[in-house]
Amino acid sequence: MTRFRLGLGLGLLVALLLLALLAGAISQALGLDPEAQDLLARFAPPSAEHPLGTDELGRDLLARLLAGGRVSLAAGLATALLATALGTGIGLLAAWRGGWLDALLMRLADGLLALPALPLLVLLAAMDTSAIGLPRGETAADVTRIVLILSAFGWVGVARLVRAAARSVLARDWVRAARALGAGEARVLFRHVLPSLAPSIAVAASLTAAGAILAESTLSFLGLGIQPPAPSWGNMLANAQDLVLSAPEVAIWPGLAIMLAVAGCTLLADGVRRH
């Protein structure tokens, strides 16, 4: 069962990533444009010309789903990488140095955990970031803004997990033996401790990616994330919120994509944890 979960989660993520990476090539091969509007073809059913049908503006759903996946997955994975790197460094530093620095870093983490996450994310996402070179409405700038905002809070869980695991590893006899044989602190941390933390870091990164994909979708749904006409799974759902009864497929496809991405990350994390 553990291998099945690990394989299923990894398979889902690899499939979604490949589709996102090949989004442009697939759309070009099928002659589709994610931003091309055709009001005469609004809510067209699936056909050879539009494999998944069209939305309220006659835009092809498959092309928008693939292009949106590129944006949503990029935001989720970039957040996971940045938050995991930051959290691993802070957690390792806290475990290694201990004392007042450990207490200070963990109290900072506790303070961030105590804050209401969603309202604070909404507040930060609504701020004008043009003064720091991140104008709203440009896709790259929107993704960067979201990644920075989510990473500012996403490192906390990683840091706490890494700190706990690192404290356990640092107390083991073979680490003490390495120090007794003259190994420097850098060698102990990066040669002996950090590799032992790899499974814990992988679990934390997977869960962070799942949370980031959901958070990006939420912000985009609220109009504070990726701005139209650039598609993301979140703003595709926002456009479909009044069409759930009349044209449910417009909401089903992006919702299913988000569910599969989050399920893939969660299954991967569970598989690594149990392996």
Side-chain angles (χ1 to χ4, degrees):
M1 182 60 72
T2 298
R3 290 184 178 179
F4 174 75
R5 291 179 180 178
L6 186 60
L8 180 58
L10 189 60
L12 283 173
L13 290 179
V14 169
L16 290 172
L17 286 173
L18 285 176
L19 289 173
L21 290 174
L22 298 174
I26 294 173
S27 295
Q28 186 176 6
L30 296 175
L32 304 174
D33 184 346
E35 297 183 14
Q37 301 181 15
D38 183 2
L39 296 179
L40 297 178
R42 296 174 68 245
F43 304 121
S47 62
E49 186 179 2
H50 301 291
L52 297 181
T54 61
D55 64 7
E56 72 282 0
L57 295 178
R59 298 173 295 191
D60 185 83
L61 282 176
L62 177 60
R64 290 184 64 76
L65 198 67
L66 293 174
R70 176 180 292 180
V71 173
S72 295
L73 291 175
L77 295 180
T79 298
L81 289 174
L82 182 57
T84 300
L86 184 61
T88 299
I90 292 174
L92 199 59
L93 178 63
W96 172 51
R97 297 300 296 176
W100 67 268
L101 183 59
D102 179 23
L104 176 64
L105 292 175
M106 289 304 101
R107 296 300 76 75
L108 174 61
D110 291 341
L112 290 176
L113 281 177
L115 294 174
L118 184 57
L120 194 57
L121 288 176
V122 170
L123 176 63
L124 292 174
M127 292 176 62
D128 182 10
T129 55
S130 58
I132 59 173
L134 296 176
R136 187 180 299 276
E138 297 182 8
T139 304
D142 286 339
V143 171
T144 302
R145 176 171 52 85
I146 289 174
V147 168
L148 293 176
I149 291 171
L150 296 180
S151 298
F153 297 90
W155 65 268
V156 175
V158 181
R160 291 171 65 89
L161 183 63
V162 169
R163 172 185 174 271
R167 284 169 62 92
S168 176
V169 173
L170 285 168
R172 294 179 182 175
D173 292 338
W174 50 271
V175 173
R176 295 174 180 171
R179 283 173 167 164
L181 291 173
E185 290 300 316
R187 181 180 177 85
V188 168
L189 289 176
F190 294 103
R191 183 68 182 272
H192 298 286
V193 177
L194 197 56
S196 300
L197 304 180
S200 299
I201 294 173
V203 171
S206 299
L207 295 177
T208 301
I213 291 171
L214 280 175
E216 182 278 322
S217 299
T218 301
L219 292 175
S220 295
F221 181 85
L222 295 174
L224 301 173
I226 308 303
Q227 300 299 307
S232 80
W233 293 338
N235 65 27
M236 288 179 70
L237 277 177
N239 294 336
Q241 60 183 320
D242 295 327
L243 306 169
V244 174
L245 296 179
S246 59
E249 68 279 0
V250 180
I252 288 174
W253 291 115
L256 181 62
I258 294 171
M259 185 191 73
L260 290 176
V262 172
C265 293
T266 305
L267 287 170
L268 180 61
D270 192 49
V272 171
R273 181 178 62 84
R274 294 173 179 268
H275 191 63

